[in-house]
Amino acid sequence: MTIPRDPAREAARRELSKGMYHENDPSLFQRALNAFWDWLDRLFGAAASATPGGAVGLFVVILFVVAVLAALWWRLGTPRRQPTSAAALFDERTRSAAEHRAAGEAHAAQGHWNQAVQERMRAVVRSLEERALLDVRPGRTADEAADEAGRALPAHADRLRAAAREFDDVTYGGRSAGEQSYRRLAELDRDLENTRPSLAGSAASTAHSTRQGAAE
């Protein structure tokens, strides 16, 4: 008995749609994964055909890119989102400049340069507060301290700002400090200890008051 083409096709479709014929079909996830690998294979095939040296050339290019990324990661550290505003320089515990220096030296002796830089910067600022060159103000940031101290000690203003940047890079920027960074901060700390504040502003104010009193 001859069945016309269209009814035969419909009968075959109904028969093949039965579950017994699809028990071993791959799952939806497996089909999606196979499609992804097929796409990736076509992509690498196209890239290999466009790269001098074919697959070997493509492999060399990939190795070069990986090496560059690894070098950037090693040099710059893990990227971190910069905070919208810098956090306070000191935590809630109040310590003297000598205590911060001792903590910095202890970290330096163990090669913990990040912590050593942080403690030495805190020692610098605390020392200036103890000498009344900075007012004691909770919540002050390293940048604010450097700007304020630079006005009282203009000869060291640039080094103070550089020290604040180093502190911020280590504390918030994900950078890694080294021995030289700590040594620069320690040298700045010692130099500030032996530096007299600039009294130009005070002298000018005194002279102005004197002239005003004489005029009266």
Side-chain angles (χ1 to χ4, degrees):
M1 181 178 178
T2 303
I3 302 176
R5 179 179 298 175
D6 290 341
R9 183 185 298 112
E10 182 63 23
R13 187 189 63 78
R14 286 196 302 268
E15 180 65 22
L16 293 175
S17 66
K18 294 179 180 180
M20 59 183 293
Y21 295 106
H22 302 281
E23 292 177 353
N24 297 318
D25 286 355
S27 64
L28 179 62
F29 173 76
Q30 186 63 46
R31 291 197 299 272
L33 190 61
N34 290 340
F36 170 75
W37 287 120
D38 289 342
W39 171 80
L40 199 61
D41 183 62
R42 290 193 301 272
L43 178 65
F44 275 98
S49 62
T51 305
V56 175
L58 178 62
F59 181 70
V60 171
V61 170
I62 293 173
L63 282 182
F64 175 76
V65 172
V66 171
V68 170
L69 292 176
L72 289 174
W73 177 83
W74 178 81
R75 178 67 180 84
L76 301 178
T78 304
R80 295 184 183 179
R81 190 172 59 129
Q82 292 291 341
T84 55
S85 59
L89 179 63
F90 296 103
D91 53 26
E92 295 181 356
R93 179 187 173 191
T94 302
R95 291 185 289 175
S96 67
E99 289 176 310
H100 284 297
R101 288 191 190 100
E105 287 295 327
H107 285 303
Q110 299 177 52
H112 300 162
W113 301 113
N114 283 13
Q115 296 89 332
V117 164
Q118 291 170 326
E119 290 298 333
R120 200 68 188 220
M121 182 62 189
R122 290 171 180 137
V124 166
V125 177
R126 184 67 78 203
S127 175
L128 294 174
E129 290 177 348
E130 291 172 353
R131 295 170 60 190
L133 297 179
L134 290 177
D135 60 304
V136 178
R137 178 157 51 85
R140 174 189 278 123
T141 67
D143 292 324
E144 291 170 344
D147 289 341
E148 294 170 20
R151 289 193 287 271
L153 301 166
H156 300 287
D158 291 341
R159 295 171 68 192
L160 284 162
R161 283 191 292 268
R165 284 195 300 271
E166 190 99 47
F167 178 90
D168 288 343
D169 287 344
V170 167
T171 307
Y172 316 114
R175 302 291 181 87
S176 296
E179 182 177 359
Q180 290 303 316
S181 300
Y182 177 73
R183 298 304 172 201
R184 283 194 297 270
L185 257 173
E187 183 179 0
L188 173 62
D189 189 18
R190 288 190 293 269
D191 290 346
L192 292 175
E193 285 278 284
N194 299 318
T195 301
R196 289 178 174 271
S198 173
L199 300 179
S202 299
S205 177
T206 302
H208 176 73
S209 299
T210 301
R211 288 195 299 271
Q212 186 177 14
E216 292 175 352

